[in-house]
Amino acid sequence: MVVRRERGSPTSNSATTEHQTPPLPVSQHISTRAASSPSNRGSRHHLIGDPAGIRSYSVAHDLMLFPHEEYEDAFRDAGCVVTRVPDWPVGRSLYGGVQEGNA
C-alpha cells in the first residue's frame, strides 16, 4: 500500500512524500484436542504469513481436572491454608492458598 502525505496545508503548493507501509502479517490457527480421562491434550497449530514468507509452529497443552479433595490436599501438603470459591469462574471452583504463618 502506498500512502501519500501532504506537507503544509491542503491548499498550498507543498511537496508530497510517499512511503511503503508493510502489510500486516496474516495468522491462522487450528485447534485440536483428544480427551482421555482424566487428562485432555490440546494442540494449536499456527501459520503466520508476511512478506518474508510463511512460518508455522505448534503448541501442545496437557490439561487435567481433579476432584476437589485432591486440589485441597495439594495446598495443605504445600503448607497452605486453602480457600475455595465454589462454582467460580465456570462451575469448577477457584482455589487459593496462603502459607501457614504468613496469613
Side-chain angles (χ1 to χ4, degrees):
M1 173 192 312
V2 176
V3 176
R4 297 189 67 164
R5 295 198 175 158
E6 300 285 331
R7 292 187 188 158
S9 72
T11 58
S12 70
N13 290 331
S14 59
T16 62
T17 59
E18 291 187 10
H19 67 278
Q20 288 289 119
T21 56
L24 295 175
V26 176
S27 175
Q28 176 66 41
H29 73 267
I30 301 166
S31 297
T32 61
R33 66 183 184 152
S36 62
S37 184
S39 68
N40 183 344
R41 172 166 278 229
S43 63
R44 198 161 225 201
H45 307 279
H46 298 266
L47 292 173
I48 302 169
D50 61 22
I54 297 174
R55 301 179 308 281
S56 68
Y57 67 95
S58 296
V59 180
H61 298 279
D62 289 321
L63 306 173
M64 297 181 77
L65 297 174
F66 301 95
H68 297 294
E69 296 78 23
E70 287 189 41
Y71 285 112
E72 292 170 350
D73 288 345
F75 276 98
R76 288 188 195 102
D77 290 347
C80 295
V81 176
V82 65
T83 302
R84 176 179 165 218
V85 181
D87 300 324
W88 189 87
V90 290
R92 283 293 306 161
S93 298
L94 172 69
Y95 295 87
V98 176
Q99 196 168 31
E100 291 182 278
N102 293 327

